[in-house]
Amino acid sequence: METINFDHISANPLLPEVKAAMIEAIESDYGNPSSHHKKGDQAAKALDVARQSVAALLNCTNPKEIVFTSGGTESINHAIKGVAMANASKGKHIITSNIEHNSVIKSLRRLKGQGYKVTSVSVDSYGRVNPDEIKNAITDETILVSIMHSNNEIGTIQPIAQIAEITRAKKIILHTDAVDSVGIIPMDVQALGADIVSFASNSFYGPTGVGGLYISRGTRIFPILDGGAQEGNKRAGAENMIGIIGMGVAAQIAAEKMDERTAHFKLLKDKLLRELPDYIDEYNFNGHMEESLPNLLSVSIKYIEGESVVLMLDDENVAASTRSACASGSLRSSHVLQSIGVDYADAQGTLLVSFGIDNTEDEIPKFLEALKRTVKTLRDISPLCRTSN
Amino acid sequence: MYSKTVMDHFRNPRNVGVIEKADGIGEVGNPICGDMMTIYLDIEDNIIKDIKFQTFGCGSAIAVSSMLSEIARGKTLEEAKKITNKDVADALEGLPQNKLHCSNLGADALQMAIKDYENRKSGVAPIIPSMKDIHDHGSKDGQCYCPYCDIEIERDTTFCDACNSSLEEDH
């Protein structure tokens, strides 16, 4: 039986066109784009093509503003630490939110140890940051605001353009972690107004191990990897040609098929939202219903624990994900669910469903049947269910 | 990630349920920590004649409850008192390091159920709280344990000083 993959947030498959381009790249034995000979020129040309495709996906008119990295984690580390280091003489205060990805949280924690001060603004029960809170948190020392574009656990999209108006007026650098947005929803860096945007290739069906940054011209940022003059002196190290070529093709297809993909995701998400009540009861959706990623849905199911749900769904050939404490190997449920006020016990039963372009409408009822059986089995075992019966 | 035996007991848990007129009930953990286990004992002539459990928790918590119930069934109380967390984990062919605390819950629940039986026999009132109380007040009364070294810790702590492990999410 085929597995229903509703866990695209963990990993996306490579598009066939991406695979083909990467295999071709392996076989064509690219040289080093920095070399001054034919083989080097050929590599430099391929690198340019990929950079233009990625720039186009972000509606970035100057491809030199795109810097290739080894993925979302490096991009985020680079944005935060690079800006902090380059602007330390101006100040050491950074503003962020309570629901950021660990790449942001831990980069900032590292900086705190180096004498930086971090203000973390709260979010509402839908996971939205209030731009006024950011405005109020700004001091003369503030050098960077880092707010994620969309959240990887609940899908909520932040008002980045509004925040950018505030940071622009105060000449503070704005970074947005858009790893789960770029390639999934339209991204226009000119309209957005963020100075730095982090993204990852696998989010739009390119290979893992490659990603990038949009760094607006004139933004003060240091490299975090020092060495050669690659990537306009912003990121040293011989380029990952095979990965970058794969990302370029994935970006081109993502741009072409953006509307089609978004419509497809919305169809699946709406169907799931509509039909879930026919299969299970006592659950809550997490996140914002409108300002949200179309491909992601978080639901907290009462009286059961998420890891058990995922294991049992796996037996039903359904792949999904959870954010329960037990599954993460920590004692606490996710900081995102805590920040939006989900009850501790309910958070344990949180299931994360993330769609991909390979999912079909008829997978929804199959998934729901499997979920219904799983929830019943686990609730039959659960001591918390006795009061509800 | 889990052994075959763990997955077997998770998929087909033995002795799930409630014993209506149980001679002893033990309940440990709380939903906030992610695991909660209730053990019911039917005791005749000092022997565990029947044992049932209910568990809220991850795959290993359910497997531990199931395996524990298999080990304890038919044992005398003296024998059952000697069942350790390690016995359960070993019978399951091991648990991942950060899941060992689940096996502790199992043995603890059994010991509490035996204690409850002995208390009742000696005329001490049972101290089993109702589910409602646990659901509402578990956050205050419940105790959490480090998933790596199993030492008792505060719920909101982010770092276990005992084993030097970060308790933040690892994503």
Side-chain angles (χ1 to χ4, degrees):
Chain A
M1 192 187 165
E2 287 236 337
T3 297
I4 296 175
N5 182 9
F6 280 178
D7 187 19
H8 287 81
I9 196 84
S10 299
N12 269 323
L14 291 179
L15 290 175
E17 296 91 333
V18 171
K19 272 186 207 167
M22 290 175 76
I23 289 166
E24 201 195 313
I26 291 169
E27 285 172 349
S28 62
D29 215 3
Y30 277 108
N32 187 325
S34 305
S35 305
H36 297 282
H37 48 58
K38 288 186 197 72
K39 223 171 165 45
D41 289 347
Q42 188 197 7
K45 215 170 269 177
L47 196 62
D48 278 349
V49 170
R51 202 182 304 280
Q52 278 160 21
S53 298
V54 171
L57 179 64
L58 299 163
N59 197 29
C60 160
T61 48
N62 179 6
K64 284 183 180 163
E65 292 177 316
I66 301 296
V67 175
F68 293 130
T69 68
S70 66
T73 299
E74 186 194 317
S75 294
I76 291 166
N77 271 264
H78 187 167
I80 292 175
K81 293 172 186 171
V83 168
M85 284 193 284
N87 297 278
S89 60
K90 188 192 162 200
K92 286 192 158 188
H93 179 237
I94 298 169
I95 300 169
T96 188
S97 85
N98 281 346
I99 63 164
E100 299 294 314
H101 188 271
N102 265 342
S103 301
V104 172
I105 295 172
K106 291 194 179 175
S107 290
L108 290 172
R109 193 176 298 161
R110 184 75 65 198
L111 289 174
K112 271 194 209 171
Q114 308 288 321
Y116 288 81
K117 289 195 171 60
V118 177
T119 303
S120 192
V121 299
S122 57
V123 293
D124 64 19
S125 59
Y126 304 105
R128 289 264 284 184
V129 167
N130 180 352
D132 285 341
E133 270 197 56
I134 289 173
K135 197 175 190 174
N136 295 338
I138 291 173
T139 71
D140 292 343
E141 296 266 293
T142 308
I143 50 169
L144 171 69
V145 173
S146 184
I147 303 288
M148 71 199 322
H149 191 271
S150 64
N151 184 271
N152 55 310
E153 291 187 33
I154 55 174
T156 302
I157 297 170
Q158 301 298 346
I160 298 297
Q162 271 175 269
I163 296 167
E165 279 177 29
I166 297 165
T167 53
R168 284 260 154 121
K170 299 261 183 187
K171 293 194 167 58
I172 293 164
I173 295 169
L174 173 62
H175 163 245
T176 186
D177 157 14
V179 166
D180 291 299
S181 294
V182 170
I184 299 290
I185 52 175
M187 179 67 56
D188 178 344
V189 291
Q190 296 175 60
L192 195 67
D195 303 287
I196 308 175
V197 178
S198 296
F199 55 92
S201 142
N202 190 241
S203 299
F204 48 96
Y205 306 90
T208 53
V210 59
L213 286 161
Y214 157 79
I215 303 175
S216 165
R217 216 172 140 247
T219 305
R220 273 187 69 84
I221 181 167
F222 285 169
I224 52 167
L225 295 179
D226 292 305
Q230 289 91 351
E231 297 298 303
N233 268 321
K234 290 197 170 71
R235 201 272 189 184
E239 295 84 351
N240 167 12
M241 287 301 295
I242 297 152
I244 291 169
I245 287 169
M247 172 161 71
V249 173
Q252 192 198 335
I253 297 171
E256 282 165 14
K257 298 199 170 172
M258 182 66 68
D259 293 347
E260 188 188 318
R261 284 183 186 177
T262 307
H264 178 64
F265 293 146
K266 274 191 177 147
L267 187 82
L268 296 173
K269 186 171 174 176
D270 286 348
K271 191 173 168 70
L272 184 54
L273 280 167
R274 201 170 53 240
E275 295 184 8
L276 190 63
D278 299 337
Y279 292 84
I280 63 169
D281 59 2
E282 299 204 72
Y283 59 83
N284 290 305
F285 292 118
N286 304 310
H288 202 282
M289 280 295 121
E290 283 88 40
E291 297 298 327
S292 180
L293 290 173
N295 60 330
L296 191 142
L297 190 65
S298 165
V299 56
S300 296
I301 306 169
K302 283 181 186 279
Y303 316 125
I304 57 179
E305 190 277 335
E307 191 210 71
S308 301
V309 177
V310 168
L311 288 172
M312 212 160 264
L313 284 175
D314 187 39
D315 280 349
E316 299 251 16
N317 291 308
V318 173
S321 171
T322 179
R323 288 295 178 268
S324 74
C326 240
S328 69
S330 97
L331 279 181
R332 307 190 304 166
S333 58
S334 107
H335 64 286
V336 177
L337 297 174
Q338 283 182 39
S339 297
I340 61 169
V342 177
D343 175 86
Y344 278 91
D346 289 352
Q348 302 293 359
T350 300
L351 188 67
L352 194 54
V353 173
S354 46
F355 301 119
I357 51 172
D358 49 322
N359 290 128
T360 59
E361 248 190 290
D362 61 8
E363 285 178 330
I364 301 280
K366 284 180 195 163
F367 160 75
L368 286 169
E369 283 293 347
L371 182 65
K372 184 183 179 176
R373 285 191 289 272
T374 296
V375 170
K376 185 181 181 328
T377 304
L378 291 173
R379 281 189 179 162
D380 283 348
I381 302 176
S382 173
L384 300 177
C385 249
R386 273 175 282 162
T387 45
S388 68
N389 287 339
Chain B
M1 158 187 183
Y2 286 129
S3 73
K4 270 189 175 166
T5 314
V6 171
M7 284 311 291
D8 175 43
H9 278 262
F10 168 69
R11 288 185 180 119
N12 310 294
R14 284 68 149 172
N15 306 309
V16 173
V18 177
I19 296 173
E20 285 306 333
K21 287 179 182 163
D23 298 312
I25 301 175
E27 188 158 76
V28 295
N30 68 71
I32 289 114
C33 295
D35 288 312
M36 184 176 145
M37 208 174 279
T38 313
I39 298 272
Y40 301 88
L41 297 177
D42 180 2
I43 294 164
E44 224 172 80
D45 300 331
N46 224 34
I47 288 171
I48 298 178
K49 203 182 142 216
D50 196 9
I51 176 167
K52 297 265 190 225
F53 78 86
Q54 284 189 311
T55 293
F56 163 88
C58 59
S60 59
I62 291 171
V64 160
S65 320
S66 169
M67 180 56 88
L68 174 85
S69 70
E70 289 249 286
I71 295 174
R73 183 191 280 273
K75 292 258 191 312
T76 65
L77 290 185
E78 283 61 41
E79 288 167 339
K81 279 181 189 173
K82 288 184 192 141
I83 298 172
T84 65
N85 307 320
K86 197 175 173 305
D87 294 337
V88 181
D90 288 349
L92 286 168
E93 292 171 356
L95 286 168
Q97 179 69 27
N98 64 341
K99 298 283 188 178
L100 280 173
H101 73 292
C102 302
S103 67
N104 296 8
L105 277 188
D108 290 352
L110 176 66
Q111 299 316 324
M112 195 186 270
I114 294 171
K115 182 87 189 146
D116 179 49
Y117 165 73
E118 288 174 342
N119 281 348
R120 292 187 199 198
K121 237 177 105 181
S122 59
V124 181
I127 42 158
I128 300 303
S130 77
M131 272 322 99
K132 187 82 182 76
D133 290 340
I134 283 171
H135 205 177
D136 288 350
H137 306 298
S139 57
K140 290 181 202 118
D141 308 331
Q143 187 54 55
C144 289
Y145 300 86
C146 171
Y148 299 98
C149 70
D150 197 45
I151 202 160
E152 224 176 76
I153 51 168
E154 293 294 319
R155 178 157 61 82
D156 285 331
T157 192
T158 57
F159 195 81
C160 176
D161 293 320
C163 70
N164 231 17
S165 296
S166 168
L167 305 176
E168 298 282 18
E169 264 192 300
D170 265 347
H171 291 290

